Amino acid sequence: MRLGLGAAILLLVFGCAPPPTTPPTLYQVSTFRAIADGIFEGMISIGSLKTRGDFGVGTLNGLDGELIVFGGIAYQASIDGSVNVVPDSALTPFAAVTFFTPQRTLAFEGQADCPRLFERVDRELATRNIFTAVQVDGSFPALTVRSVPKQSPPYPPLATVIANQTVFNLQDQVGTLVGIWTPDYLSTVNSPGWHFHYLASDRRTTGHVLDCQFGGGVVKIAELPSFTVDLPETEAFRVADLSR
Ligand SMILES: [Zn+2]
């Protein structure tokens, strides 16, 4: 009885110890090389993904539209332009998320098109060699986003699907860009450069950003010096030639 009590006290003492501090981390499902080669079979549930991050981008099983995770909720940009909250049971074949804690917040004033906006954010990056998460809240007088149609096996390469993407030209938007910066040297792990998805404040429109007019707003930046990748255990991934 005494031993049991002692063990319980020890457990209590060590159980209350603070967890070891971990650096801000990007958690990723699969790799860009694999998704580019048509490895679209979902492997991680959205419920599980949300335990690894509350902010990020990706896609759903069979490349079923664009995925945006924001504020701990997963949204799907479906091919008809509607926004759906994704159930925890849905699977993703490719996603990159983090628990977003901005290290810097900057006010961007004045109009700029998307390339200029991204150049301006580029200049604020202290390094181009670390994954970085960026949130842009603001107005967008014009915004071009896309989604992709769900595929069935045998899956085609990503480029073939994108050739059939559906493009939406939006106007007078207020919302958020959720973005991940991938360094060039990690170009097989994730798409190098910027990858932005948009989510309207009213949650009525979302999608992968192709172009925009930015009307000003706030940019929040978080460097992610650590990353974790879960590789697919599917047969398609195991036998794929990803050496190119
Ligand atoms: Zn995307």
Side-chain angles (χ1 to χ4, degrees):
M1 184 67 188
R2 277 184 199 159
L3 272 176
L5 186 63
I9 289 169
L10 269 176
L11 197 69
L12 198 66
V13 168
F14 285 97
C16 288
T21 53
T22 51
T25 299
L26 183 81
Y27 169 72
Q28 189 170 303
V29 176
S30 192
T31 68
F32 182 59
R33 178 71 263 169
I35 203 81
D37 270 20
I39 313 286
F40 298 158
E41 189 181 343
M43 55 170 277
I44 296 283
S45 74
I46 294 301
S48 174
L49 185 74
K50 291 193 299 188
T51 68
R52 309 301 289 267
D54 58 4
F55 176 104
V57 299
T59 185
L60 292 160
N61 189 37
L63 213 71
D64 188 10
E66 306 281 347
L67 171 70
I68 182 167
V69 181
F70 184 65
I73 299 173
Y75 302 90
Q76 176 204 32
S78 64
I79 195 63
D80 65 1
S82 62
V83 179
N84 304 311
V85 173
V86 183
D88 285 352
S89 58
L91 297 174
T92 175
F94 180 78
V97 297
T98 187
F99 285 108
F100 188 69
T101 305
Q103 295 143 3
R104 284 193 300 152
T105 299
L106 309 155
F108 277 22
E109 290 170 3
Q111 297 246 352
D113 57 21
C114 251
R116 281 196 188 154
L117 168 65
F118 299 161
E119 276 171 25
R120 206 166 152 195
V121 180
D122 274 357
R123 289 199 295 273
E124 298 294 340
L125 299 184
T127 173
R128 300 170 74 87
N129 296 334
I130 289 178
F131 278 116
T132 304
V134 172
Q135 177 178 334
V136 181
D137 297 308
S139 61
F140 300 87
L143 191 69
T144 306
V145 297
R146 72 117 192 272
S147 192
V148 285
K150 185 175 185 186
Q151 304 296 299
S152 302
Y155 294 124
L158 180 64
T160 303
V161 183
I162 287 175
N164 295 310
Q165 66 189 5
T166 302
V167 174
F168 301 96
N169 293 304
L170 311 173
Q171 293 184 324
D172 299 326
Q173 294 287 307
V174 175
T176 297
L177 304 184
V178 166
I180 302 291
W181 163 267
T182 298
D184 278 349
Y185 72 91
L186 292 170
S187 61
T188 59
V189 176
N190 205 327
S191 174
W194 291 110
H195 185 180
F196 275 108
H197 286 188
Y198 170 72
L199 182 65
S201 295
D202 62 9
R203 307 294 188 257
R204 292 175 69 176
T205 46
T206 182
H208 172 107
V209 176
L210 297 177
D211 200 3
C212 76
Q213 283 291 324
F214 180 56
V218 173
V219 175
K220 298 172 183 169
I221 298 173
E223 285 184 9
L224 310 172
S226 169
F227 69 95
T228 297
V229 179
D230 267 345
L231 296 174
E233 295 179 66
T234 57
E235 191 59 17
F237 182 79
R238 298 180 79 90
V239 302
D241 177 7
L242 303 174
S243 60
R244 284 167 294 130

